[in-house]
Amino acid sequence: APPGHTQDGGQDTSFRWQCVDQPIGKLLFRRFLEGAPQFAAAGALWSEIEAFEQCEDAEREESAKKLRSRFFTPGGSEHCGFLSAGATATPTGEGVAWVGGNMAAGTLVWLT
């Protein structure tokens, strides 16, 4: 199916298509997150994850530690309690890989 359409020819209304793949949808969703106090931490997490995706390999481990401390740890400065236990689990090996196209919309997978 062409981009933006489902296999049956209908319009793709998934979160990924509307708020990640589409620049205007992504911008509007980010503004929504940043403009609502109860979602500000989620907006900050999204921004930091995108910065993480752009950082050099040598910086990734330290950057990942900062992300975990700030967003994944209860009591962290912007703890995102809505994240699943699997998304916030402590790594068991070195390095991280992000499945699903990009970290912000993908699933965290810790390499062993």
Side-chain angles (χ1 to χ4, degrees):
H5 292 84
T6 60
Q7 292 295 338
D8 64 3
Q11 202 65 26
D12 187 353
T13 58
S14 69
F15 173 83
R16 173 175 291 284
W17 174 253
Q18 303 240 349
C19 299
V20 177
D21 295 340
Q22 295 301 306
I24 188 67
K26 182 176 183 177
L27 174 67
L28 292 173
F29 186 67
R30 295 274 303 271
R31 285 187 179 170
F32 165 74
L33 291 176
E34 293 164 358
Q38 67 270 32
F39 302 126
L45 174 60
W46 192 320
S47 294
E48 291 299 318
I49 288 173
E50 287 185 333
F52 174 87
E53 291 175 334
Q54 301 301 315
C55 72
E56 298 293 326
D57 289 343
E59 301 168 346
R60 284 184 178 256
E61 186 174 342
E62 184 62 28
S63 181
K65 285 179 185 177
K66 289 179 182 177
L67 279 169
R68 284 192 304 274
S69 174
R70 181 175 170 191
F71 298 106
F72 300 170
T73 305
S77 64
E78 294 183 271
H79 179 241
C80 294
F82 56 85
L83 295 171
S84 71
T88 61
T90 303
T92 57
E94 292 187 27
V96 286
W98 301 97
V99 178
N102 75 33
M103 185 173 158
T107 303
L108 177 62
V109 177
W110 295 102
L111 299 177
T112 56

